[in-house]
Amino acid sequence: MGGAEGLESFWEEVETTGSSQPFRRPGSFKDRDYLETFEGLVFCVVGEVHPPNRAFAYLKYVLSEGGARRVLRFYSGPHVEETMQMLEARYPEYLYDDEFSGLRFPAVPASKVKAHYKPEEKVKQIVEAPGDPLEAKASRLVRLLSESSGVPQASFGITGSILLGVHHPAYSDIDLTVYGLRESLRVREALENLYRERGEVRRLEGERLRRWCEEKARLHPLTLGEAGEIYRRTWSRGLYEETFFSIHPVRADWEVGEAYGDRRLKAEGIVEAEATILDASQSIFLPALYKIGEVKVLKGPQAREILELVSFEGLYSGIFGEGERVRVRGLLERVEKADGSVYRRILVGSRMAKGSDYIKPYPSRV
């Protein structure tokens, strides 16, 4: 699937994000794409910055004659670690030793890709000809969000099980992507207005909210109250016609201001700290990027020039605002840029933290 031909034939409505440039360059790997290998492994791509001829991605499904078997049980660091152990034992060629961080990550070689599933192509397909009731519902949600926000349908995608065609029409969720910062902010505003109308688009509440909070508190170092506070701040997860949906903003390729190898990272240990959010404009993406200041390290290595808070845990994307004080536990990293400048950042979602990291509002409101 995909490639330059697919890009050229994609909708008459050009897939742009406030520019004449397409949001996807031919051949690029984007966050929430899926890659199927010749062995029947299915990976979900993470972010837009990748090594040459590879894509950073986590293993989610294994295909067989009996269908798709989900091997990533939950979205959390320890569960991703389980899939990495499986790759280590059976498919080590999918693990990549990253010279710029000194760490090992799953990264799919381009030569191993049998099929590249692109969310924007699946949206076009289901809007034109939905194959079952869930696809029809997803197409209605895309139309509603497009009409409410003024963002063209060509700037949306659908990911997850529907993208792969392995969904259950009665039980699966709807996972959408939106391409471009401006487009994502417009969809967020439209969605918040739809929540207030309390029509077919609603926030979780009651028993469904309780179950969501219990799951997050089980998977992350959060109390039930803290999980509830995180959901209160979350705009991108709700219900449409009683089906759970999520929205995942993705940078347009021309918005990605970094290339692989621009920075060299060195882990310096786990820290607990307090910090003030200075800039949250890039926090809605994955990884979420917050510029921070007034950092006070409470535990772990002491350091100056801690300028960024980065999260690969989507739970913390886009939920903290400028001027807000937060508590964080994560991996302190030394960052050396290509121009020789050095600063530090705190990373949430590292293997080293083993699921013990977090970002919480401070002082806690719960």
Side-chain angles (χ1 to χ4, degrees):
M1 297 179 63
E5 311 87 62
L7 184 62
E8 291 168 0
S9 64
F10 191 52
W11 290 354
E12 293 180 5
E13 178 182 25
V14 180
E15 54 179 47
T16 59
T17 53
S19 165
S20 61
Q21 305 175 68
F23 66 71
R24 182 195 294 273
R25 297 188 308 274
S28 72
F29 298 113
K30 299 194 66 57
D31 191 45
R32 302 282 172 171
D33 288 0
Y34 276 76
L35 306 176
E36 178 186 341
T37 73
F38 291 99
E39 301 93 338
L41 307 177
V42 180
F43 293 81
C44 181
V45 175
V46 178
E48 279 76 43
V49 180
H50 306 284
N53 300 313
R54 282 184 179 258
F56 288 125
Y58 56 82
L59 178 64
K60 188 172 179 182
Y61 295 99
V62 174
L63 303 181
S64 67
E65 292 182 359
R69 177 171 63 91
R70 180 165 175 165
V71 293
L72 180 66
R73 295 184 295 156
F74 297 99
Y75 293 107
S76 71
H79 291 96
V80 171
E81 182 68 26
E82 288 180 357
T83 65
M84 290 184 65
Q85 291 172 4
M86 173 184 168
L87 292 174
E88 187 75 62
R90 300 181 60 186
Y91 304 99
E93 64 271 28
Y94 290 100
L95 294 177
Y96 180 73
D97 293 311
D98 180 20
E99 65 175 300
F100 295 102
S101 67
L103 300 175
R104 203 170 205 208
F105 300 105
V108 180
S111 61
K112 292 281 191 177
V113 176
K114 177 182 178 181
H116 181 179
Y117 298 95
K118 300 175 183 178
E120 69 272 21
E121 293 179 349
K122 186 66 175 183
V123 154
K124 177 182 182 297
Q125 176 186 326
I126 68 169
V127 166
E128 292 178 349
D132 57 46
L134 184 63
E135 290 190 357
K137 185 180 293 188
S139 71
R140 291 195 296 274
L141 178 58
V142 169
R143 288 194 183 97
L144 174 62
L145 292 175
S146 177
E147 293 169 1
S148 301
S149 65
V151 172
Q153 291 180 16
S155 291
F156 287 84
I158 190 156
T159 187
S161 59
I162 297 179
L163 173 60
L164 299 171
V166 299
H167 58 285
H168 190 292
Y171 305 119
S172 294
D173 301 335
I174 298 171
D175 302 305
L176 301 181
T177 53
V178 183
Y179 296 95
L181 176 60
R182 188 177 71 170
E183 285 66 25
S184 298
L185 294 176
R186 287 162 62 184
V187 169
R188 180 174 70 178
E189 181 181 6
L191 195 51
E192 289 172 341
N193 289 334
L194 289 168
Y195 286 145
R196 284 190 284 271
E197 294 175 7
R198 295 185 63 82
E200 293 298 332
V201 177
R202 296 185 292 108
R203 293 177 59 79
L204 298 181
E205 55 189 15
E207 180 64 17
R208 277 184 153 167
L209 177 57
R210 185 186 65 80
R211 290 200 304 268
W212 187 91
C213 291
E214 287 178 345
E215 178 180 293
K216 300 309 174 188
R218 178 166 47 85
L219 296 175
H220 305 279
L222 302 169
T223 66
L224 282 175
E226 288 167 342
E229 172 63 12
I230 285 173
Y231 184 75
R232 186 188 69 80
R233 296 162 171 264
T234 299
W235 62 273
S236 57
R237 294 172 175 85
L239 296 173
Y240 175 66
E241 296 181 1
E242 299 304 318
T243 294
F244 183 84
F245 73 85
S246 61
I247 309 290
H248 304 277
V250 178
R251 290 181 180 88
D253 276 348
W254 58 271
E255 293 176 323
V256 180
E258 177 185 357
Y260 179 74
D262 281 355
R263 298 184 295 180
R264 189 173 293 274
L265 307 173
K266 181 181 179 181
E268 296 188 329
I270 300 296
V271 297
E272 294 181 15
E274 300 170 7
T276 300
I277 304 295
L278 302 182
D279 183 348
S281 61
Q282 299 295 310
S283 69
I284 62 174
F285 300 114
L286 191 72
L289 171 62
Y290 295 96
K291 300 287 188 179
I292 57 175
E294 301 176 335
V295 180
K296 180 181 179 182
V297 176
L298 305 176
K299 292 183 181 180
Q302 298 294 315
R304 295 183 178 182
E305 295 297 308
I306 303 177
L307 304 182
E308 292 178 349
L309 173 57
V310 177
S311 178
F312 278 91
E313 172 48 66
L315 190 65
Y316 306 116
S317 296
I319 65 170
F320 300 106
E322 294 166 9
E324 186 171 6
R325 194 78 172 159
V326 296
R327 297 176 293 154
V328 57
R329 175 180 168 86
L331 177 63
L332 180 68
E333 293 186 312
R334 181 183 185 272
V335 183
E336 181 178 349
K337 300 177 70 175
D339 62 8
S341 60
V342 174
Y343 67 96
R344 284 170 173 80
R345 70 181 194 177
I346 300 175
L347 175 66
V348 173
S350 71
R351 296 181 69 186
M352 190 176 294
K354 298 180 179 178
S356 68
D357 42 1
Y358 56 78
I359 311 173
K360 302 178 183 181
Y362 181 84
S364 177
R365 298 183 182 180
V366 294

